[in-house]
Amino acid sequence: MIRKILEFLEKKYGAYYTLEAAWMFGLTLVVFFSIIFLSFNLYHETVSEIKRIQPVQINAVKEFREINAVRDIAEAVTERN
């Protein structure tokens, strides 16, 4: 079977599938799947950390208005004196 593949490659492309290319292909697959595995691992750790700390949702517009209201009151009080 391998012999037929090599003969086909030699006739069609004038080259062989070398041992070096086989190693590089295998190494490339290992690196590729390692990156995918590490990405899933990082995602899982991130989701777990978010669930652990339970972040509070902030209403930015409401806080901005409250800060400006307090600032306006402070300015009004200081201008009277």
Side-chain angles (χ1 to χ4, degrees), residues 51-62:
K51 287 180 181 179
R52 186 184 69 80
I53 61 174
Q54 297 177 353
V56 178
Q57 189 170 358
I58 298 173
N59 188 348
V61 175
K62 181 179 176 184

Side-chain angles (χ1 to χ4, degrees), residues 19-38:
L19 184 61
E20 293 84 9
W23 279 100
M24 290 304 295
F25 183 72
L27 182 63
T28 303
L29 283 177
V30 168
V31 168
F32 179 72
F33 285 112
S34 296
I35 290 171
I36 290 175
F37 174 74
L38 290 172

Side-chain angles (χ1 to χ4, degrees), residues 67-77:
I67 290 170
N68 279 338
V70 170
R71 185 178 298 147
D72 291 341
I73 292 170
E75 288 175 3
V77 170

